[in-house]
Amino acid sequence: MTTQQQRSEETKTHLLQAAELSFAQQGYDGTSVATICRRAGVSKGAFYHHFESKQAVFLELLNRWLDNLDLQLETMRIDTDDIPQGLLSMTGVVGEVFQTAADQLPIYLEFWRQATHDPQILSAMIQPFHRYRVFFAQMIQDGVAEGTLEAVNPDSAARVIISVAVGLLLQGLLEPRSTDWEALPHESIQILLGGLLKR
Amino acid sequence: MTTQQQRSEETKTHLLQAAELSFAQQGYDGTSVATICRRAGVSKGAFYHHFESKQAVFLELLNRWLDNLDLQLETMRIDTDDIPQGLLSMTGVVGEVFQTAADQLPIYLEFWRQATHDPQILSAMIQPFHRYRVFFAQMIQDGVAEGTLEAVNPDSAARVIISVAVGLLLQGLLEPRSTDWEALPHESIQILLGGLLKR
Amino acid sequence: MTTQQQRSEETKTHLLQAAELSFAQQGYDGTSVATICRRAGVSKGAFYHHFESKQAVFLELLNRWLDNLDLQLETMRIDTDDIPQGLLSMTGVVGEVFQTAADQLPIYLEFWRQATHDPQILSAMIQPFHRYRVFFAQMIQDGVAEGTLEAVNPDSAARVIISVAVGLLLQGLLEPRSTDWEALPHESIQILLGGLLKR
Amino acid sequence: MTTQQQRSEETKTHLLQAAELSFAQQGYDGTSVATICRRAGVSKGAFYHHFESKQAVFLELLNRWLDNLDLQLETMRIDTDDIPQGLLSMTGVVGEVFQTAADQLPIYLEFWRQATHDPQILSAMIQPFHRYRVFFAQMIQDGVAEGTLEAVNPDSAARVIISVAVGLLLQGLLEPRSTDWEALPHESIQILLGGLLKR
DNA sequence: ACTATCGGGACCGCCCGTTAGT
DNA sequence: ACTAACGGGCGGTCCCGATAGT
């Protein structure tokens, strides 16, 4: 029963988890490979057996996160007969993330930051973001078609939705305890849906 | 007279500019003191004559940026008799920033990132953000009072506005050339004002 | 039958060839065991199954080269009734080597270098060199006896002959394409035979 | 009194001497920067202040050696009215080197070896060697003109002379105590001058 | 016979900050 | 006010070899 292979994957998982935590807590540059290894309880030899470089772990973490995002989007897409309702239901997921993975949140900032310096990471991030924009733009368009949404520019509206998500996340990073970050996404989307202007 | 003092001031300015550019291009950790000095055309001794440490330059840059933020906020506050119009006019400033200081933009990410690790920087950043939230919340409230805005939660709405600003900025960092980043803020606020739901 | 043994032998040969090439191209220290294995298309376990250490492969390559040297010496010894003619005919072999194994030539430098640091390799190299010196000294002595050569010190003359061979090889290593390295040995021995002084 | 500058150059000299000895004794790859620093009694900071890299020290040592060679050649060139006598008198210098700098000799092997791997070192070595060839070829030509030397191909003869020098040096490296390496160069050139063939 | 996994260690390069000196 | 020289130390990468497993 492939005890070998199992242990190998366990080691890799430990390394990835250790890296994720360290990156989140101390940042990419503030985390040394030695620290990751210590945290994972393995040697540097093991590290460089599983990953080509420190950057490679980072990229793998990024890709896993992006894959996960895609997965969540896919599951959401299913039952969205009423577009506005669909948008609102998505916010529940975001809220959960804030609570569940509060420790790992700062790593997203790392992703973004590294993307502005490292072309490889940049291209890895741009593509999924493009997909999200297309995804939301499609939702908007569907909403317009079914008559529940205003005839806004779908692409711009998609950007606004993403902006709200990203912006809330960043604000949450600065003051994790200043508000009810679980409810805020829902409320924000409601505001966005209803608009600020008095009808 | 005091040519001495002038030269000294110039050196400090050169160092600050060099640091700002380097931080923006290569990040805080990716920038070495030696690099900053090389860029400023002075020796390391000069650097440590003007600043206590690498962190000190960073903090000074942060403070200058925050001071500037407050300044901008003050100038905006002036003529806002029509709240919705006031919000829209502000977007012009944001658009300009995108164009004028496109090179320095990534340094905001640095600020944000360091804030999550360094309490000193965190507290330095939180305060102005508070002011911004209060400022926008007040605007919303005024708008509600004057009857031009819906009766939304002012604080949440303020967060949404800031989210849109921050979120657009971050997206602009990833793809500086994918859209007209000067016009997008205006369009986004318009969407936010009008809402997505069909009336 | 013994297909097992055959495969094993093939693996070892592949490793030796890979090592020889790598040592020649990147030097002993510049070559990692991993590189050799990659080149041979096997794993590191296979390497350490066939050889005790990296040094062991090196020693084996050295011994094979030395064995080959002795072999060549033996074949040369055959028909040397006319000593000067014999010396000249030998140069053909040297010229061939330059052409045939041009890629492997730098490994001789490795042998020499390691010999100055490793007593084991030193003693392995000194012995055949002794044999070469004795061989050439004997030739000189025979030539003097048969009246074709001047009455020079046979041992010194042998050293000179070897020096010319080694010296040409080293020069050839630096500039493989600057001269006709196949013809030069012949010409050099002719000069050595005839002398520089005007008779 | 520039105590500062003096100490700086002393430090650099110490580093160069330490490097030369270490390279000679343990080879280029076998010598760590830390070892050099320890030997020179300075820190790594000092090392990398004076040299860009480990390779840079090596290159500087090489260049100094080559410069020195050129210098010696130049001083020899002066009083060579009788070419054969001039050649013979040069051997004295070679003999001295064998004795004086016996410890540093293996570094020449390092030079040569690195030259086959590193293009920068290669080109640094080829040029002076070219000069030596031209120098000796000129001597031969002069000798032919003045009627003291045979009408041999000057370039080939120059290569032979260099070969003898290099070849003897290499043999001396293997067996420092097997012969009188001070007298051998002289004797070798005499053999080369007189030739082996019975007149 | 051969592989995959892993341990422990070393090395180069760099970096931050200090100090002696000008 | 500013320079050059330097100390001490860390960080990523790689490397040799051993071991467990197939």
Side-chain angles (χ1 to χ4, degrees):
Chain A
M1 59 293 282
T2 65
T3 311
Q4 181 116 265
Q5 224 167 14
Q6 264 180 10
R7 269 192 48 92
S8 173
E9 280 195 34
E10 270 179 43
T11 303
K12 188 168 179 180
T13 307
H14 287 163
L15 279 168
L16 279 169
Q17 287 171 344
E20 188 168 20
L21 262 178
S22 299
F23 286 155
Q25 286 171 5
Q26 294 144 17
Y28 179 79
D29 293 294
T31 299
S32 75
V33 175
T35 301
I36 299 175
C37 293
R38 217 175 302 127
R39 215 164 186 155
V42 298
S43 72
K44 273 195 202 181
F47 181 95
Y48 279 96
H49 173 73
H50 287 286
F51 303 101
E52 276 206 341
S53 64
K54 182 181 165 186
Q55 220 222 30
V57 208
F58 192 74
L59 246 170
E60 178 131 359
L61 284 173
L62 173 60
N63 284 327
R64 285 178 179 228
W65 173 56
L66 294 174
D67 286 352
N68 194 40
L69 258 186
D70 276 2
L71 212 76
Q72 290 189 349
L73 278 194
E74 214 56 44
T75 58
M76 287 176 183
R77 196 193 295 261
I78 299 173
D79 42 43
T80 49
D81 35 321
D82 182 314
I83 297 294
Q85 203 55 40
L87 278 174
L88 279 173
S89 72
M90 288 180 180
T91 60
V93 184
V94 180
E96 275 180 51
V97 172
F98 263 98
Q99 175 132 313
T100 321
D103 289 351
Q104 283 99 323
L105 285 189
I107 209 179
Y108 303 148
L109 207 51
E110 289 305 310
F111 290 153
W112 220 292
R113 205 189 72 90
Q114 296 291 333
T116 59
H117 304 320
D118 186 326
Q120 201 178 354
I121 293 186
L122 179 62
S123 72
M125 277 194 79
I126 283 185
Q127 287 185 334
F129 260 86
H130 192 70
R131 280 203 294 279
Y132 305 149
R133 276 220 315 280
V134 171
F135 172 79
F136 282 113
Q138 185 63 47
M139 276 192 81
I140 305 291
Q141 217 159 13
D142 292 351
V144 175
E146 75 182 23
T148 52
L149 296 187
E150 281 277 2
V152 295
N153 178 341
D155 205 56
S156 298
R159 276 193 200 275
V160 173
I161 292 175
I162 293 177
S163 291
V164 170
V166 172
L168 286 179
L169 190 140
L170 279 198
Q171 288 181 73
L173 280 178
L174 281 193
E175 306 174 275
R177 254 163 298 285
S178 78
T179 321
D180 181 1
W181 292 105
E182 278 188 87
L184 197 57
H186 194 264
E187 199 179 349
S188 300
I189 294 298
Q190 268 183 328
I191 290 177
L192 179 57
L193 284 170
L196 294 173
L197 285 181
K198 182 106 177 190
R199 305 171 183 223
Chain B
M1 72 307 263
T2 62
T3 311
Q4 198 99 339
Q5 217 169 6
Q6 264 182 12
R7 290 248 319 156
S8 174
E9 206 63 31
E10 269 180 42
T11 302
K12 188 169 179 180
T13 308
H14 286 163
L15 279 168
L16 278 168
Q17 286 171 344
E20 186 170 20
L21 260 179
S22 298
F23 287 155
Q25 287 171 3
Q26 297 148 19
Y28 178 78
D29 293 293
T31 298
S32 76
V33 175
T35 301
I36 298 174
C37 295
R38 217 174 302 130
R39 216 164 187 155
V42 298
S43 77
K44 247 193 301 198
F47 180 95
Y48 282 97
H49 176 75
H50 287 286
F51 304 99
E52 271 208 343
S53 65
K54 184 178 160 187
Q55 228 221 24
V57 212
F58 190 74
L59 251 171
E60 177 128 1
L61 284 174
L62 174 59
N63 285 326
R64 287 179 178 226
W65 172 57
L66 294 174
D67 286 352
N68 194 42
L69 260 188
D70 279 3
L71 210 78
Q72 288 189 350
L73 208 154
E74 216 56 45
T75 58
M76 286 178 182
R77 202 188 294 265
I78 303 173
D79 44 36
T80 49
D81 36 320
D82 181 320
I83 298 295
Q85 202 56 39
L87 278 173
L88 280 173
S89 71
M90 288 178 182
T91 60
V93 183
V94 182
E96 273 180 50
V97 173
F98 263 100
Q99 176 133 313
T100 321
D103 290 351
Q104 283 101 320
L105 285 189
I107 208 178
Y108 303 149
L109 257 178
E110 290 303 312
F111 291 152
W112 219 294
R113 201 192 77 89
Q114 297 291 337
T116 58
H117 302 318
D118 187 325
Q120 197 179 358
I121 294 186
L122 178 62
S123 70
M125 277 194 76
I126 283 184
Q127 288 184 335
F129 259 87
H130 256 270
R131 282 200 288 278
Y132 261 78
R133 276 223 313 281
V134 170
F135 170 78
F136 281 115
Q138 186 62 47
M139 275 190 81
I140 305 292
Q141 218 157 14
D142 290 351
V144 175
E146 77 181 22
T148 52
L149 295 188
E150 282 277 2
V152 295
N153 179 339
D155 205 57
S156 298
R159 278 193 197 275
V160 173
I161 292 175
I162 294 178
S163 291
V164 170
V166 172
L168 287 179
L169 190 140
L170 283 197
Q171 288 180 73
L173 280 180
L174 282 193
E175 305 176 275
R177 254 164 297 284
S178 78
T179 319
D180 181 1
W181 292 105
E182 279 188 87
L184 199 56
H186 191 88
E187 198 179 351
S188 300
I189 294 297
Q190 267 183 328
I191 289 176
L192 179 57
L193 284 170
L196 294 174
L197 285 181
K198 184 107 176 189
R199 304 167 186 233
Chain C
M1 72 308 267
T2 65
T3 310
Q4 197 100 341
Q5 218 169 5
Q6 264 183 11
R7 290 249 319 158
S8 173
E9 205 64 30
E10 268 180 43
T11 302
K12 188 170 179 180
T13 307
H14 286 163
L15 279 168
L16 278 169
Q17 286 172 344
E20 187 169 19
L21 260 178
S22 298
F23 286 154
Q25 286 171 3
Q26 296 150 18
Y28 177 78
D29 292 294
T31 298
S32 75
V33 175
T35 302
I36 299 174
C37 294
R38 219 175 299 129
R39 216 165 185 153
V42 298
S43 78
K44 248 195 302 197
F47 180 95
Y48 281 97
H49 176 74
H50 287 287
F51 304 99
E52 271 208 342
S53 66
K54 184 178 159 186
Q55 228 221 22
V57 213
F58 190 74
L59 252 172
E60 177 129 359
L61 284 174
L62 173 60
N63 285 327
R64 287 180 177 226
W65 173 56
L66 294 175
D67 287 352
N68 195 41
L69 260 188
D70 279 2
L71 210 78
Q72 289 188 347
L73 208 154
E74 216 56 45
T75 58
M76 286 177 182
R77 202 189 292 267
I78 302 175
D79 43 35
T80 49
D81 36 322
D82 182 319
I83 298 295
Q85 203 55 41
L87 278 173
L88 280 173
S89 71
M90 288 178 181
T91 60
V93 183
V94 181
E96 274 180 50
V97 173
F98 263 101
Q99 175 133 316
T100 321
D103 290 351
Q104 282 100 324
L105 285 188
I107 208 178
Y108 303 150
L109 257 178
E110 289 304 311
F111 290 152
W112 218 295
R113 201 191 78 87
Q114 298 290 337
T116 60
H117 302 319
D118 187 327
Q120 197 179 358
I121 293 186
L122 178 62
S123 70
M125 278 195 77
I126 283 185
Q127 287 185 335
F129 258 87
H130 256 270
R131 283 201 287 278
Y132 261 79
R133 275 223 314 281
V134 170
F135 171 77
F136 280 115
Q138 186 61 47
M139 276 191 80
I140 304 292
Q141 218 159 14
D142 291 351
V144 175
E146 74 180 22
T148 51
L149 296 187
E150 282 277 3
V152 296
N153 179 339
D155 206 57
S156 298
R159 277 192 198 276
V160 173
I161 292 176
I162 293 177
S163 290
V164 170
V166 172
L168 287 180
L169 190 139
L170 282 197
Q171 288 181 71
L173 279 179
L174 283 192
E175 305 176 274
R177 255 164 294 285
S178 78
T179 321
D180 181 2
W181 292 105
E182 279 188 86
L184 199 57
H186 192 87
E187 200 179 349
S188 299
I189 294 297
Q190 267 183 328
I191 289 177
L192 180 57
L193 284 171
L196 296 173
L197 284 182
K198 184 108 176 188
R199 305 173 183 225
Chain D
M1 47 243 334
T2 63
T3 312
Q4 182 115 268
Q5 224 168 12
Q6 264 180 12
R7 269 192 49 90
S8 174
E9 281 194 33
E10 270 179 43
T11 302
K12 188 169 179 180
T13 307
H14 287 163
L15 279 168
L16 279 169
Q17 287 172 345
E20 188 168 20
L21 263 177
S22 298
F23 286 156
Q25 286 171 5
Q26 293 145 17
Y28 179 79
D29 294 293
T31 299
S32 77
V33 174
T35 301
I36 298 175
C37 293
R38 219 175 300 128
R39 216 164 185 155
V42 299
S43 72
K44 267 198 211 180
F47 181 95
Y48 281 96
H49 174 72
H50 288 286
F51 304 100
E52 276 205 341
S53 65
K54 181 180 165 186
Q55 221 222 31
V57 208
F58 191 74
L59 246 171
E60 178 131 357
L61 285 174
L62 173 61
N63 283 327
R64 286 178 178 228
W65 173 56
L66 294 174
D67 285 352
N68 195 39
L69 258 186
D70 276 2
L71 212 76
Q72 289 189 348
L73 278 194
E74 214 55 46
T75 59
M76 286 177 184
R77 197 193 294 260
I78 300 173
D79 43 41
T80 48
D81 35 321
D82 181 316
I83 298 296
Q85 202 55 41
L87 278 174
L88 280 172
S89 72
M90 288 179 180
T91 60
V93 184
V94 181
E96 274 180 50
V97 172
F98 263 99
Q99 176 131 313
T100 320
D103 289 352
Q104 282 100 324
L105 285 189
I107 209 180
Y108 302 148
L109 207 51
E110 289 304 311
F111 289 153
W112 221 292
R113 203 189 73 89
Q114 296 290 333
T116 60
H117 304 319
D118 187 325
Q120 201 178 354
I121 294 186
L122 178 62
S123 72
M125 278 194 78
I126 283 184
Q127 288 184 334
F129 261 86
H130 194 69
R131 283 202 293 279
Y132 305 149
R133 276 221 314 279
V134 170
F135 173 78
F136 282 114
Q138 186 62 47
M139 275 191 82
I140 305 291
Q141 218 158 13
D142 291 350
V144 174
E146 75 182 21
T148 52
L149 295 186
E150 281 277 4
V152 295
N153 179 340
D155 206 57
S156 298
R159 276 193 199 275
V160 173
I161 292 175
I162 293 177
S163 291
V164 170
V166 172
L168 287 179
L169 191 141
L170 280 198
Q171 289 180 70
L173 280 178
L174 280 193
E175 306 175 276
R177 255 164 297 286
S178 78
T179 322
D180 181 2
W181 292 104
E182 278 189 86
L184 199 57
H186 195 265
E187 199 179 349
S188 299
I189 294 297
Q190 266 183 328
I191 290 177
L192 180 57
L193 284 171
L196 295 174
L197 284 182
K198 182 102 173 194
R199 303 165 188 231

